[in-house]
Amino acid sequence: MTNPSLSRVVRGTGLLVLLPSLWLGATALDARHAQQGLPGQSQARWYKGNTHTHTLNSDGDSSPDEVVRWYREHGYQFVVLTDHNFLTSVEGLNALVGADERFLVMQGEEVTDRFETKPIHVNGLGVQRLVTPRGGGSVVETIQGNVDAIRQAQGVPHINHPNFGWSVTADELAQIRNNRLFEVFNGHPQVNNAGGGGVPGLEGAWDAILSKGILLYGIAVDDAHHFKRPWDPAAARPGQGWVVVRAARLGPQEILEAMERGDYYASTGVELSDYQATAGSVTVTVKERTWAKYRIQFFGRGGRLLKESTSSPARYDITGFEGYVRAKVIESSGYVAWTQPVVVASP
């Protein structure tokens, strides 16, 4: 079931709605400029970041210095270095390219494990020490052991690319405890985001888990390995997916706490200019590009399409029987943005 401590509770119209505090008049601003506080939230700002990338310390093609410079030069405010089973130091990198409220390098690790032939990868964001893969007697046991180890190392876990190697099913994901984040989009070309052969895509898995009453937030990431092959569609390139996080300041603790509250949206290229939710409605406003057209979709229990709009802002009025409401924005170019689910309890 949902954990109210991770959501803001809004009562009204006879409904109980649990929603991240992001959705109260929040406005997403251009991530390349200094962000202003939100109305009534004077300390809230927005930061664009990537939580999954690699360097030469595991299987990337570029040094940590080259990697973090790419993200700073391309309009990001933070990046988490997540080398496979290696904890890349970030102190020197922050001294070199970090700047208060402008750019932050965060420590992380991709805890890389396996059950039989299935690769099991769990990111540890902000871990304070190297986490050794725990193994296990099943997919669920292997994931859970690594999630628990990441928590013990004072990190925040997120489960990576469930369809990579067709390793993790929605039913298995739903059994993991003490985890709030998973990748709904991963930019690596071999991770099967869309599913296939009878296996659902990651959005379908997300809806299946939410429909069981389990609150899970979706992340978009690069999983970048190849910074020197921008011309190669087979490369795992940077700039494929990111999150835009609302936090009190650009610090590791503030960013990670906001993500676990669901105070962010995920994107492959769509930018939101406003997102609001009350006990009665959910409204999405897109920062539109003049040459593009948009579809704004609202989904509920079972992945049912509740409403689709081709104009922005788009509003969905909550009836109380949706189970949850999440929004997806599709640009005519193919770029997408996902908001985090608002949990709706029936009257």
Side-chain angles (χ1 to χ4, degrees):
M1 298 301 291
T2 59
N3 184 344
S5 67
L6 295 176
S7 304
R8 181 165 182 134
V9 180
V10 179
R11 297 179 186 273
T13 66
L15 308 179
L16 172 62
V17 180
L18 304 179
L19 58 149
S21 56
L22 158 63
W23 295 316
L24 298 176
T27 301
L29 305 175
D30 188 339
R32 289 171 293 183
H33 303 290
Q35 296 90 350
Q36 66 183 29
L38 305 179
Q41 301 281 346
S42 59
Q43 299 303 311
R45 298 185 177 185
W46 288 89
Y47 305 99
K48 177 181 177 180
N50 177 47
T51 63
H52 190 167
T53 198
H54 298 274
T55 78
L56 285 170
N57 287 336
S58 60
D59 54 349
D61 68 358
S62 299
S63 68
D65 173 62
E66 291 172 308
V67 169
V68 299
R69 285 184 185 276
W70 188 97
Y71 284 100
R72 173 149 192 182
E73 291 169 1
H74 285 80
Y76 290 69
Q77 279 75 57
F78 71 91
V79 62
V80 187
L81 299 183
T82 54
D83 284 307
H84 294 279
N85 297 338
F86 189 92
L87 200 57
T88 296
S89 174
V90 300
E91 290 185 8
L93 294 169
N94 273 312
L96 187 65
V97 300
D100 287 348
E101 290 303 307
R102 295 185 181 182
F103 190 75
L104 172 70
V105 187
M106 294 171 59
Q107 187 165 270
E109 176 190 357
E110 184 168 18
V111 182
T112 305
D113 209 339
R114 179 171 294 272
F115 172 70
E116 297 179 345
T117 62
K118 296 180 176 182
I120 306 295
H121 297 182
V122 183
N123 267 9
L125 310 181
V127 288
Q128 298 302 298
R129 61 178 183 273
L130 184 69
V131 175
T132 303
R134 292 308 198 258
S138 67
V139 168
V140 171
E141 186 177 311
T142 303
I143 296 173
Q144 190 66 62
N146 289 310
V147 165
D148 293 344
I150 288 166
R151 292 289 188 189
Q152 291 165 8
Q154 302 176 51
V156 171
H158 76 62
I159 297 171
N160 297 347
H161 42 56
N163 280 352
F164 177 54
W166 308 107
S167 295
V168 186
T169 67
D171 285 342
E172 289 165 335
L173 270 177
Q175 296 177 56
I176 305 304
R177 305 177 308 279
N178 205 19
N179 176 74
R180 192 61 66 188
L181 310 173
F182 93 116
E183 292 178 353
V184 70
F185 174 87
N186 179 299
H188 196 290
Q190 299 175 8
V191 299
N192 308 305
N193 291 316
V199 178
L202 300 184
E203 273 195 81
W206 194 13
D207 283 317
I209 293 165
L210 293 171
S211 297
K212 294 181 178 182
I214 299 167
L215 184 59
L216 195 64
Y217 298 134
I219 296 176
V221 302
D222 286 338
D223 197 356
H225 291 69
H226 307 122
F227 292 79
K228 298 178 179 178
R229 291 158 51 187
W231 45 266
D232 184 358
R237 298 169 292 169
Q240 305 300 301
W242 55 85
V243 292
V244 183
V245 180
R246 194 201 76 161
R249 60 180 293 271
L250 185 58
Q253 180 177 346
E254 290 83 0
I255 292 291
L256 295 180
E257 287 179 352
M259 291 186 69
E260 290 217 278
R261 290 194 305 268
D263 275 11
Y264 69 95
Y265 68 90
S267 180
T268 65
V270 172
E271 185 176 356
L272 304 186
S273 61
D274 193 58
Y275 187 95
Q276 299 183 40
T278 68
S281 65
V282 176
T283 304
V284 177
T285 307
V286 181
K287 186 174 182 179
E288 299 183 62
R289 294 188 263 205
T290 56
W291 48 263
K293 293 185 181 295
Y294 297 86
R295 289 185 290 151
I296 303 173
Q297 301 175 324
F298 298 91
F299 294 92
R301 184 187 291 115
R304 181 168 63 95
L305 179 62
L306 302 170
K307 181 179 179 179
E308 179 172 300
S309 175
T310 57
S311 62
S312 172
R315 170 173 164 163
Y316 176 77
D317 292 320
I318 295 172
T319 67
F321 298 96
E322 294 87 351
Y324 62 89
V325 178
R326 67 173 182 86
K328 176 181 180 180
V329 182
I330 305 169
E331 190 179 85
S332 51
S333 62
Y335 294 132
V336 176
W338 297 268
T339 70
Q340 304 314 314
V342 173
V343 179
V344 180
S346 299

